Amino acid sequence: MVEETMSMSELFSDDLEEDVFCPIDFRADLNEDQYKAVTSPPGPALVLAGAGSGKTRTLTYRVAWLMSQGVPVEAIMLLTFTNKAAKEMLGRVQTLTGISGFQLWGGTFHSIGQRTLRMFGREVGLEHHYTILDAGESESLLGDIVRGIDKDFLKNKGNPKVKVLSNVISYARNTQGSIEDTLALKYPEFTSLADQVAEYARSYAKKKLELQVADYDDLLELWLKLMQISQETTAWFKNRFQHILVDEYQDTNALQSAIIDCVGANHQIMAVGDDAQCIYTWRGANFGNIMSFSERHPGAKLHKIVLNYRSTPEILNLANGVLEGRPENAGYQKELRPVRSGLSRPVMVPAMSTDQQAQFICRKVVELHRQDGHDLRDIAILYRAHYQSMELQMELSRGHVPFQITSGVRFFEQAHMKDVSAQLRFASNPGDTLAFQRIACLLPRVGPKGAERILKASHEVARNESVDLFSALDSKIVLKKVAADAREEWPDLVETLRNIRESMAHDSPEHVVRTAVEGWYSGYIRQLYDNWTNRTDDLDSLVGFATKFTDIAEMLSQLVLLNSETSSRSINPDDDAVRLSTVHQAKGLEYPVVFVIGLADGAFPLQRAIEAGDVEEERRLFYVAVTRAQDKLYLTYPTVVMIRGGRMPARPSQFLRELDEDQYKVQRIPGMHHGLNAHGRFAKHGRSW
């Protein structure tokens, strides 16, 4: 084993040529905060690097500093979250020091985990030749496991599908929690299945070892296990590394934090992050990791880097105001300070509706481009959830303003939107075979050929029995053409289609769409998608879209035209086009001009967060949004929002209401006065909103 370890280590540049280190003037290259962090004395350290403060610069100069102090490059480990971040940092280290990035153990948690398992995996049952499963392969194997234990589990329409099971098991592993707790948190309707799901998880883990394969989570879970049970592994890490550097520490989950604590038990850990930008707790990130770092690592030095190179003083003044609204002990106290000179205060724009909001933004984008000379690619429009961009996408399309969705596909092109649209199309036009095919293929074991057989049999029954097609769909003859695994769900789907058809005869388009959204498909997405709540929000917005029409046929026509119009104008990343993105997807990016839209209670913060009494992650998300802006920041909100399929009056987001009046200026849309007092300010201090 030792010989094999050595040979593997050689592959990762254990035997290195003597490094040629280029002198660096650290004092001249770094500001005071950065310098103190980079030259931090031996021992654990937590570096709170605010937005736009040069976090990557601090980490790469830390590597250079350690090398200048005689630390061999191979004795430094740099952990990141993404391949992009790893590549950027290793590239900067090479530029700064002349040392090849291959000589530094740098990379994502998962890449370092797989290196470790290649060397020591036998200790946990994995041979050197093990293979790594991708997400699809992992789900396929788990599905086989489930069917092997209970052949009817996945057929039961009330049970979660494989994708959801996989998500539950993965979340439990990464948070180091139980299946029961995970279900209670994310899928409370399935808590009674906790024992079954736990059995599937155990059998899945056993099968992977039999096959000598590992999934994505194994790369971390088994790495941690090695550090806990293998003296050889622990000794190798102890002897190999002197310093552990961790990027974006606020995003670590329980599993990653435990790995860092084990790997760095005998080393100098420097964790770099920003508690104010912890926005991924929904996928397992543990906010407590960064808040408790000093408790877990006694004597840790705390460094704050607050000098911001990105934004104007006015934008930073507002960003600091966002954090001032936090409850006591909800984060570290710090205040970003500007390097740049100012331009103008952020602009707050109230709108009567999401339509008016979209119209204003479209006009303003054109003005910024034509009159102020901004490239369209310099403008970003950020939103809390994808559905909030629906009206905006339509308005930009009508105005022939090029835009690019950086957070996914265009709104009406999303799979769940097309699924519901197909139900509406078929109910409206039974001759639309393509729509029927899409619907039928949602069922288990039903493909295009199977859908064709079902529809053919339905037409034959309708003709032979002189009934309409929707009455024929649930006949015994047709049911025999439905795949066995799909027969339990088929009646519910047919009933939904029939209800939609009947509703079209006498109800408003809004009611028709609501019938489709709340029918069979509502259960389908809960079973199939781990992000079903976001998809439900999207579908609720489709109900709102329907209120714009008096005729369902006209609405369906507009959906097709919008899809065609936007799809035909595909845009490359380098093209001059406005960027549309969720705030989550925009983290780490910056733009000269930023619009943050939909800033109303119920939309941002989300209604779910308000009802749960926990809006602090929403606050951090808003903070991330406003700190993306370099020169100009626009904050818009509608006074009417769509919540759970219904239009409701809304007041400006609590994050706006908490701001001081000198931190923004108000721009009125003609005819819009809601939420403003006689002086053009928000009514505060006990006065009604």
Side-chain angles (χ1 to χ4, degrees), residues 49-52 55 248 250-251 273-282 287 308 310-311 315-316 318-323 326 334 336 380-384 581-591 593-597 599 604 615-630 632-635 655:
K55 168 179 66 65
E248 301 287 7
Q250 78 280 350
D251 293 333
D274 183 5
D275 60 291
Q277 297 188 72
C278 179
I279 59 174
Y280 296 112
T281 61
W282 54 274
F287 182 69
N308 177 284
R310 174 183 299 159
S311 306
I315 292 173
L316 293 183
L318 186 143
N320 289 328
V322 173
L323 296 186
R326 295 184 297 183
K334 59 181 178 297
L336 294 177
I381 305 172
L382 309 182
Y383 35 83
R384 174 61 181 87
S581 176
T582 63
V583 182
H584 284 100
Q585 289 293 323
K587 186 174 179 292
L589 304 177
E590 58 185 26
Y591 301 93
V593 182
V594 169
F595 292 83
V596 187
I597 71 172
L599 289 166
F604 200 162
V615 299
E616 289 310 300
E617 181 150 349
E618 299 284 298
R619 181 190 306 279
R620 297 193 294 269
L621 194 61
F622 180 52
Y623 175 81
V624 168
V626 300
T627 54
R628 300 311 94 195
Q630 297 172 292
K632 299 175 183 177
L633 174 63
Y634 296 87
L635 308 171
F655 307 136

Side-chain angles (χ1 to χ4, degrees), residues 235-260:
W236 188 86
F237 274 93
K238 179 180 179 181
N239 295 328
R240 172 65 187 258
F241 298 106
Q242 298 177 26
H243 294 270
I244 311 294
L245 310 182
V246 187
D247 185 29
E248 301 287 7
Y249 187 75
Q250 78 280 350
D251 293 333
T252 55
N253 57 37
L255 179 55
Q256 291 160 335
S257 177
I259 289 171
I260 295 167

Side-chain angles (χ1 to χ4, degrees), residues 325-390:
R326 295 184 297 183
E328 196 174 343
N329 301 321
Y332 292 95
Q333 295 299 313
K334 59 181 178 297
E335 183 174 306
L336 294 177
R337 295 186 287 110
V339 172
R340 301 178 53 197
S341 58
L343 293 173
S344 60
R345 286 181 294 167
V347 179
M348 195 159 318
V349 185
M352 287 290 293
S353 63
T354 51
D355 285 331
Q356 190 183 61
Q357 176 182 249
Q359 292 162 9
F360 164 78
I361 293 170
C362 189
R363 290 196 301 269
K364 193 65 183 181
V365 166
V366 173
E367 178 187 314
L368 289 165
H369 178 56
R370 293 177 179 175
Q371 298 181 20
D372 297 356
H374 285 285
D375 290 338
L376 292 177
R377 67 170 64 89
D378 291 339
I379 303 172
I381 305 172
L382 309 182
Y383 35 83
R384 174 61 181 87
H386 200 40
Y387 77 89
Q388 295 166 357
S389 70
M390 179 183 67

Side-chain angles (χ1 to χ4, degrees), residues 306-534:
V306 297
L307 206 59
N308 177 284
Y309 294 87
R310 174 183 299 159
S311 306
T312 64
E314 292 81 4
I315 292 173
L316 293 183
N317 185 36
L318 186 143
N320 289 328
V322 173
L323 296 186
E324 287 175 2
R326 295 184 297 183
E328 196 174 343
N329 301 321
Y332 292 95
Q333 295 299 313
K334 59 181 178 297
E335 183 174 306
L336 294 177
R337 295 186 287 110
V339 172
R340 301 178 53 197
S341 58
L343 293 173
S344 60
R345 286 181 294 167
V347 179
M348 195 159 318
V349 185
M352 287 290 293
S353 63
T354 51
D355 285 331
Q356 190 183 61
Q357 176 182 249
Q359 292 162 9
F360 164 78
I361 293 170
C362 189
R363 290 196 301 269
K364 193 65 183 181
V365 166
V366 173
E367 178 187 314
L368 289 165
H369 178 56
R370 293 177 179 175
Q371 298 181 20
D372 297 356
H374 285 285
D375 290 338
L376 292 177
R377 67 170 64 89
D378 291 339
I379 303 172
I381 305 172
L382 309 182
Y383 35 83
R384 174 61 181 87
H386 200 40
Y387 77 89
Q388 295 166 357
S389 70
M390 179 183 67
E391 290 90 352
L392 182 62
Q393 291 186 44
M394 291 191 293
E395 191 65 30
L396 292 172
S397 295
R398 295 189 192 104
H400 304 287
V401 179
F403 65 94
Q404 177 187 94
I405 309 286
T406 62
S407 56
V409 299
R410 296 173 187 262
F411 186 78
F412 292 112
E413 294 175 337
Q414 300 175 102
H416 50 293
M417 302 298 287
K418 286 188 171 184
D419 290 343
V420 172
S421 178
Q423 294 176 63
L424 297 170
R425 285 166 49 198
F426 180 70
S428 176
N429 174 21
D432 191 337
T433 57
L434 292 177
F436 180 82
Q437 184 180 92
R438 183 179 186 96
I439 300 165
C441 289
L442 296 175
L443 298 172
R445 310 287 183 179
V446 177
K449 293 290 186 183
E452 185 179 341
R453 287 192 295 269
I454 295 169
L455 189 58
K456 182 180 178 181
S458 299
H459 280 293
E460 289 176 354
V461 170
R463 184 172 54 253
N464 294 335
E465 298 183 10
S466 299
V467 296
D468 67 78
L469 183 64
F470 292 88
S471 297
L473 285 172
D474 60 357
S475 71
K476 292 181 179 179
I477 295 174
V478 173
L479 189 61
K480 289 180 179 179
K481 301 296 182 181
V482 178
D485 291 351
R487 289 174 187 169
E488 187 176 0
E489 290 188 62
W490 180 251
D492 288 343
L493 174 56
V494 172
E495 183 180 4
T496 295
L497 293 173
R498 189 180 292 121
N499 290 340
I500 296 171
R501 177 78 171 181
E502 292 174 356
S503 181
M504 286 179 172
H506 50 78
D507 293 325
S508 66
E510 177 185 3
H511 189 278
V512 173
V513 176
R514 191 183 301 277
T515 300
V517 168
E518 296 179 354
W520 167 83
Y521 196 75
S522 64
Y524 172 85
I525 62 173
R526 292 172 74 93
Q527 298 167 42
L528 186 65
Y529 295 114
D530 57 334
N531 63 341
W532 66 269
T533 54
N534 295 336

